Amino acid sequence: MKKVIVLLFVCFAFSDFASAQVQGDSRAHLLGTYGLRYKYFGVGGGIEYFFVDNFAIMPSYTKIFPNVGKMSNFSADLRYYISTGASQLYFMAGYSQNWENNNPDGAGTKRNIKGANVGVGAYIRMTDWVGLSTEFKVQSQSPSEAGFRFGLAFPL
């Protein structure tokens, strides 16, 4: 858990430094997620960094609220934008890792599950300082889940 927080902090610091060089090359995301199979809701955030035209990498961390126990997810996604302008469509693929504890009082079976994810999404600019971020993603690791991510994105 500490490694994920440190990784997100490093990514945020690097993206903030990079955005000072080129205008509009990174975005901070505040996200909500909803799984279609298990109907779990989660909240999280991430930093998207454009390292080449039309390509971005986005590490994100999500705290998921299952019916019993605790769960969280880290994803590092590569995004390819196929459109530009006010509405930007992208395809994504990436690495995903879940941490689960299925016991209600905290002690129990802890699992660390790694896998991949693929999906499609869109960024819709609402104003110069905020946009709507939507995504449909399928994850391969247990629990194999298809779900929606939605939230706000703030250009840095």
Side-chain angles (χ1 to χ4, degrees):
M1 179 66 180
K2 291 178 185 178
K3 292 178 185 178
V4 172
I5 293 171
V6 170
L7 179 64
L8 284 175
F9 178 76
V10 169
C11 290
F12 179 79
F14 178 71
S15 68
D16 190 43
F17 171 74
S19 68
Q21 295 174 356
V22 179
Q23 183 69 20
D25 66 345
S26 61
R27 298 179 187 137
H29 291 258
L30 296 176
L31 301 165
T33 184
Y34 182 75
L36 297 176
R37 182 176 181 188
Y38 295 103
K39 300 185 179 12
Y40 295 159
F41 178 75
V43 294
I47 298 291
E48 180 179 23
Y49 174 68
F50 291 88
F51 60 94
V52 178
D53 289 345
N54 299 333
F55 284 95
I57 187 155
M58 183 173 160
S60 63
Y61 177 79
T62 305
K63 174 72 175 158
I64 302 168
F65 303 102
N67 297 333
V68 176
K70 299 178 182 179
M71 182 185 282
S72 59
N73 174 271
F74 172 77
S75 294
D77 301 325
L78 176 65
R79 295 177 168 189
Y80 174 66
Y81 283 83
I82 60 173
S83 63
T84 59
S87 179
Q88 303 169 5
L89 180 66
Y90 64 86
F91 295 105
M92 53 83 52
Y95 168 81
S96 188
Q97 184 168 354
N98 281 356
W99 292 274
E100 299 177 359
N101 186 341
N102 59 4
N103 199 332
D105 64 2
T109 305
K110 294 182 181 180
R111 297 185 340 163
N112 182 356
I113 307 158
K114 300 171 186 150
N117 48 13
V118 296
V120 62
Y123 168 78
I124 302 164
R125 185 174 60 229
M126 297 188 317
T127 67
D128 287 341
W129 61 273
V130 67
L132 180 64
S133 176
T134 61
E135 184 174 277
F136 177 74
K137 181 190 287 191
V138 177
Q139 296 183 330
S140 68
Q141 75 273 16
S142 175
S144 297
E145 182 82 280
F148 291 101
R149 289 175 69 165
F150 48 89
L152 299 175
F154 303 94
L156 300 176

